[in-house]
Structures are given as structure tokens and as C-alpha cells.
Amino acid sequence: MFGIGDFARHGRVSVRMLRHYDAIGLLTPALVDPASGYRHYRAAQLGELNRILALRDLGFGLEQIGTLLRERVEVAELRGMLRLRRSELAAAVAADAARLSRVDARLRILEQEDAMSGQDVVVAALPAAHVAELSAVAAGFAPEEIGPVIRPLCGRLGRLLAESRIQPGGPMLAYYEPSAEDDTVLVHAAIPVPAAAAGDGLAFTELPAVAQAAVLVHHGSMDGVLASVDTMARWIDGNGYRMAGAFRELYLQVGEDESEWVTELQQPIIPVGAGRQ
Amino acid sequence: MFGIGDFARHGRVSVRMLRHYDAIGLLTPALVDPASGYRHYRAAQLGELNRILALRDLGFGLEQIGTLLRERVEVAELRGMLRLRRSELAAAVAADAARLSRVDARLRILEQEDAMSGQDVVVAALPAAHVAELSAVAAGFAPEEIGPVIRPLCGRLGRLLAESRIQPGGPMLAYYEPSAEDDTVLVHAAIPVPAAAAGDGLAFTELPAVAQAAVLVHHGSMDGVLASVDTMARWIDGNGYRMAGAFRELYLQVGEDESEWVTELQQPIIPVGAGRQ
DNA sequence: TTGCTCCTCACGTCACGTGAGGTGGC
DNA sequence: TTGCTCCTCACGTCACGTGAGGTGGC
């Protein structure tokens, strides 16, 4: 029989761990002195301890280990637990590897720009939305081509909505679909509305959900949006994604003073190497 | 200005998170109503929030993020933090990948044996030790060749130690060195002693530390040790290691009844692919 | 008597999730 | 008046590390 100190030394664990394993019923000392509370372990219990350490080493939690030790699990069940653990570990490895490549991308951008740019890109899911919208065609993607089209569209959308007494379900947004034939762009001004909403002069449609979009908050006038779009494009490229879907703008704050505007830019993406959407 | 609920929705985070970030001073609401305690956020603060989320996404802790945001760190320092993060992530990936391969090895062994074997192998470091020892030559590695050599050696070692009044610093152990020329084995019986110890008929030597050893607790008579050695050998092979050093046995519990013996088997190993020790 | 080993609480860790219990404006 | 949003505690998470404060045998 070993005292807890000797047993811990032979088992290469801390005394605290042995007390903890005792407390949760994972490894009970062979003998506990009723008077002093001193714990005593048999040499053979080193085998039990090693079983615990081996399972912990595979990444199982102590509770699961307890189940494995006590309940004499069948081989099939053990195999199932190991396979689950395997897939969890594979997921963890993939997640950390992705993190790692994002850190690398950050370092590369830092080389180029020699400073933290003011804006940060985040990947997010975009939910589907039922919207009321107005559409028009612009000659191209340049701000001076888009602006004169989207602005009046938004104004009209707002007025029509008020006339139809529809309560909007969120801020106004725009999305852009390039023509397949020429350089023109189909511009949409849209706003979330309840499913039952109806109104003269408005088109109602479903904006599809997007699993992954690069998202960036743009501050100030839309005249300066190109810099933000460029930041986002380089982030997408540097992090192993590519654009896959219509670009959107969400108008979080608008008003008289355009320098106070806040817009969220949203670009649907998919990982490079994945099949077409 | 947004209420905390709207701001949370737009930022795709929980209300609880915003309160938490406020509590630790990471993201303070632009305005807090003194009467009600209601928090209000400016649209522009979504940029700050996204910065936090982007850094968290790289795996930084909230305290580090606070430092990064508040203290206007220089580019060199930021680069340093990113490089540190990169190496931490690389280590995490390697650790989880190793875990994953151990789980795979377990699954393969399960296929073969269709049950959990009673014994578990653990990898551990062996510390260096100053020992008193006696040595002799055995004809080979078979238990019936080793036994008649190691047993009397251990007996004599014990008696000499008692005669020399040396207090042992741990349990007795054996280690085995195969001859380079023939099938014989140099057998050592050793026991840790204080550095200053001396005694007639005893050799004193330094057992080297071992960075990694496969360790397994063998129960019962040494006649049955081959099964345990075999388990260990297959574990070493299945987990991407190879043997690299003299095999050791640590006698944790000995006595009249050999079925009660407990021995720890120790085999120094190195990962396959690593250079020679 | 002095060290040594052992004991039992109990707090801290990290980033929140999840109630409990209560309050202000439409 | 009823929902809705918001508020402040406070516990739980996971596997221990780290004191604090105290006790039994050589």
C-alpha cells in the first residue's frame, strides 16, 4: 500500500488529481483511514490510474471515462465513442488549421500595409428575408454610376412603404446583379416586410439565405466605398475564399450628413476548392 | 442609436456577450441611461464590435484583445503577437492531430482484439537516477533465461544494501542491455541511492533520464510478462514510435505470492521519423 | 519539539449560457 | 392591463492549481 504522495509519484500525477478522481468516484483509494482520512492505494491501482490517463490522453472527459470504466460498455459502443471522438478531433484540427491560416493572412496583410487597417472582416451567415423591392438598371459598378440609380430607388421605396402602411422588419438594403451579357448592373432597393404585406408599385420577393458571407462595416459616404470593397476583396482572396453571389449593402444608419452613414457590406463567399454553389 | 437587442441582432452576437464586453471594458455603450441602466449603441460601434470578433476569431483572449484595442500597439508588437499565436495554433494542431492518430490506433487495436485489453500504455518521461547496481549476463531475453539471473541479483543487491546501511530512494528495478555481438543480455539489478552512498561489492552509476518512454503496469508473475511486453510493442508500433534504449522493469510490489507482484515495464521510445537518439 | 505528510474547504480559471426576480415604456 | 425589452445578480461549465488553516506520526 502506498500513501497518496508515493502513489502520485509512481503514477506521475499530482496529489490534487488523485483527490479529485476520488471525489468524483473515478479512482477510489483501496483504503481510507476512518480516523485521519488518509488515503491508501494498492500498487495494482496504478493499472487503473493508467487506464484513466490513457483515455484522458485520447481527449475523453472524466465523466465519459467514468462511464467507460464502470459500465462495462460493449465493444460496439466503445467503437462508437472512439469514432465520435475521432470526428470531434478532426473537426478541432480543421478549425485550428483554419484559424492558423487566418493568422497567416493577417500577417501577410500586415507586411503589405504596415498597420492595422481600420476595418475588420467577419464571416457570417445571412438569413433569408421576405422583402419589398424596387429595381432599375445602372450602367456599371462605379459609385458614380450606382449612386444616381440606387438613391432615388431608396427614396421611392420608402415613400411607397409609408403609403402602403407597411411596417418594415429591418433596415433598407441594396443588392446588385451584374448582367450576363454586358457591363450593366441590375440594382435592387429592398426592405424586409411581413409575409402578408402587399402594396401598389412594389415587387415582393424572397432574398435567399447565405451560408457564408464576408461582412464589413463601412463608415461615411458611399463615395468612399471602393476602399472598403477593396479591403474586403483582398481579405476574401487572402483567406482562401472566393465570391459567390450578389453583393449586398445594408443601410444601418443614414441621414442628412453622409459622413455619418454606416453601411454593412455583405459579399457571399465559398471556400476555394468547394464545388459551385 | 440602437438598443442592446437591436445592436446584438445587427452584430450577430448575444445580448449577454455585449453585457460581458461592457463589464470588462472591452466595448462600452455610447450611452447608458442613468435612470434605467439601459444601454444604447451607435451604429458606428458595429465596426468596433467586428474588430473584437475578428481578433477573437484568430483565437486571442478577451484580455489580449483589450490590450490590442486600447494601447495602440505598434506594428512590431502586433506582428509579435500574431507570430506567437501562430506557433500556439501550430502546437494545438499538432497535439490534436497526435491525439487523433492515437484514437485511430485504438480503433485498429479494437478491430484485432475485439475487446478492451486489460492494460493501457502511457507515455512518460523517466528522470535520471543515481543507483547502486549488480550486473550479470543472461543467455537471452526469454523469461526462463532472464529469471534465474535477475532473481539472485536482486536478492544479493538487497542484502548488500542492508549491510552497507544505505537507505534506498525508491523501489528496485532491472534494466537489460543486449550484446552487440551475440544473443546474450547484460542484466542489471539496480536501486536508487543517495549521491553520497558507498558500499563494498556494489557498483554505482547514473541511470540516464529518458524523454519519452512507453510505460505499462504488469500484474502478476513475471512468467506472464511476455504478453504485456507484446501489448506494449504493438502499441509502440501502432502509434508511430520505435524503441530507442534499454528496457527497464520497476518492481512496485514484490513478495512471497508472485501472483500479487506489480511491475512497471518501461521502454524508451522516439517518434518514427526522428533522428537517431 | 521540529519537519513531513496528509486532510478539508474554497477560490480562481475563460467566456459566456441560463435562469431568477424585478422594472420601465407602449 | 398585457407583452416586450431591458436590468442586475448569481450559478454552472471543466479539470484541476493554489493557497489557507489545521492535524497525526517520527
Side-chain angles (χ1 to χ4, degrees):
Chain A
M1 300 279 266
F2 296 108
I4 196 171
D6 286 335
F7 190 71
R9 255 185 300 283
H10 288 313
R12 303 172 184 88
V13 295
S14 70
V15 168
R16 176 67 169 99
M17 279 171 67
L18 292 176
R19 292 205 186 104
H20 185 55
Y21 293 170
D22 182 16
I24 63 176
L26 202 54
L27 182 62
T28 308
L31 187 150
V32 178
D33 185 291
S36 65
Y38 276 33
R39 295 169 178 84
H40 301 274
Y41 295 85
R42 266 195 267 279
Q45 292 191 278
L46 279 172
E48 296 180 50
L49 177 57
N50 277 0
R51 157 138 301 178
I52 292 168
L53 297 181
L55 291 171
R56 193 190 60 161
D57 196 43
L58 301 180
F60 285 107
L62 297 188
E63 195 154 348
Q64 282 187 78
I65 296 176
T67 307
L68 281 169
L69 296 189
R70 275 191 301 276
E71 297 182 14
R72 262 8 220 119
V73 293
E74 290 166 42
V75 179
E77 196 177 349
L78 175 59
R79 204 194 313 270
M81 290 177 78
L82 285 169
R83 285 188 177 150
L84 177 59
R85 199 75 263 285
R86 178 165 62 177
S87 68
E88 287 170 353
L89 281 169
V93 167
D96 273 351
R99 243 184 261 285
L100 183 55
S101 79
R102 283 197 294 272
V103 170
D104 274 335
R106 253 309 226 276
L107 275 165
R108 281 197 305 273
I109 289 176
L110 203 62
E111 304 281 313
Q112 288 169 28
E113 310 199 349
D114 212 48
M116 277 228 279
S117 99
Q119 296 147 313
D120 290 272
V121 174
V122 166
V123 175
L126 307 179
H130 185 67
V131 298
E133 69 172 27
L134 295 176
S135 307
V137 173
F141 259 117
E144 61 273 18
E145 295 169 316
I146 296 285
V149 177
I150 186 68
R151 278 162 190 276
L153 225 48
C154 287
R156 270 177 49 212
L157 180 62
R159 282 191 301 275
L160 283 172
L161 216 68
E163 283 169 19
S164 309
R165 313 220 172 165
I166 301 174
Q167 194 66 11
M172 209 176 277
L173 60 102
Y175 65 100
Y176 304 95
E177 298 180 292
S179 161
E181 281 131 41
D182 53 30
D183 287 347
T184 63
V185 180
L186 186 55
V187 176
H188 307 263
I191 192 158
V193 294
D200 276 345
L202 290 168
F204 294 88
T205 184
E206 204 71 26
L207 271 189
V210 169
Q212 288 186 298
V215 160
L216 180 147
V217 175
H218 172 71
H219 299 262
S221 162
M222 295 311 282
D223 297 345
V225 80
L226 275 190
S228 294
V229 168
D230 186 51
T231 297
M232 197 156 82
R234 276 182 298 143
W235 188 94
I236 290 170
D237 189 46
N239 283 273
Y241 293 101
R242 62 183 181 78
M243 304 185 190
F247 179 75
R248 300 183 193 178
E249 287 166 6
L250 187 63
Y251 301 108
L252 292 167
Q253 177 171 289
V254 294
E256 282 301 304
D257 185 357
E258 267 211 44
S259 68
E260 296 282 299
W261 279 27
V262 177
T263 317
E264 185 177 270
L265 313 182
Q266 304 173 336
Q267 174 60 60
I269 54 177
I270 57 172
V272 169
R276 263 201 161 278
Q277 205 177 17
Chain B
M1 300 279 268
F2 296 109
I4 196 171
D6 287 336
F7 191 72
R9 254 185 301 284
H10 287 313
R12 304 172 184 85
V13 296
S14 70
V15 168
R16 176 67 169 102
M17 278 173 67
L18 291 176
R19 293 205 186 104
H20 185 56
Y21 293 170
D22 182 16
I24 64 175
L26 203 53
L27 182 62
T28 309
L31 187 149
V32 178
D33 186 292
S36 65
Y38 276 35
R39 297 169 177 84
H40 300 275
Y41 294 84
R42 267 196 267 278
Q45 292 192 279
L46 279 172
E48 297 179 48
L49 177 58
N50 276 1
R51 158 139 302 176
I52 292 168
L53 297 181
L55 290 171
R56 194 191 58 163
D57 195 43
L58 301 179
F60 286 107
L62 297 189
E63 194 155 349
Q64 282 187 79
I65 294 175
T67 307
L68 281 168
L69 295 189
R70 274 190 302 276
E71 298 180 15
R72 258 17 214 113
V73 294
E74 291 166 42
V75 179
E77 195 178 348
L78 176 58
R79 206 196 312 270
M81 289 176 78
L82 285 169
R83 285 189 177 147
L84 177 59
R85 198 76 264 283
R86 179 166 60 178
S87 68
E88 287 170 355
L89 281 169
V93 168
D96 273 350
R99 243 185 260 285
L100 183 56
S101 81
R102 284 197 294 274
V103 170
D104 275 334
R106 254 313 230 268
L107 275 165
R108 282 197 303 275
I109 288 175
L110 203 62
E111 304 281 312
Q112 288 169 27
E113 310 200 348
D114 211 49
M116 279 227 278
S117 99
Q119 294 148 314
D120 290 272
V121 175
V122 166
V123 176
L126 307 178
H130 185 70
V131 298
E133 68 170 30
L134 296 175
S135 308
V137 173
F141 259 118
E144 61 272 19
E145 293 168 317
I146 295 286
V149 178
I150 186 65
R151 278 161 189 278
L153 226 47
C154 286
R156 270 177 49 215
L157 180 62
R159 284 191 300 277
L160 283 171
L161 215 68
E163 283 169 18
S164 309
R165 313 220 172 164
I166 301 175
Q167 195 65 12
M172 209 176 280
L173 60 102
Y175 64 99
Y176 305 95
E177 299 180 293
S179 162
E181 280 131 42
D182 53 29
D183 287 347
T184 63
V185 181
L186 185 55
V187 175
H188 307 264
I191 192 160
V193 294
D200 278 346
L202 289 168
F204 294 89
T205 184
E206 204 71 25
L207 271 189
V210 170
Q212 289 186 298
V215 160
L216 182 148
V217 175
H218 172 72
H219 297 261
S221 162
M222 295 312 281
D223 297 345
V225 81
L226 275 190
S228 295
V229 169
D230 186 51
T231 297
M232 195 154 83
R234 275 182 299 143
W235 187 95
I236 290 170
D237 190 45
N239 282 273
Y241 293 102
R242 61 183 180 78
M243 304 185 190
F247 178 76
R248 302 183 191 176
E249 287 166 5
L250 187 64
Y251 301 109
L252 291 167
Q253 176 171 291
V254 293
E256 282 301 303
D257 185 356
E258 266 212 42
S259 70
E260 297 283 300
W261 280 26
V262 177
T263 317
E264 184 177 270
L265 313 182
Q266 305 173 333
Q267 176 59 60
I269 55 177
I270 56 173
V272 168
R276 262 202 160 276
Q277 204 178 18

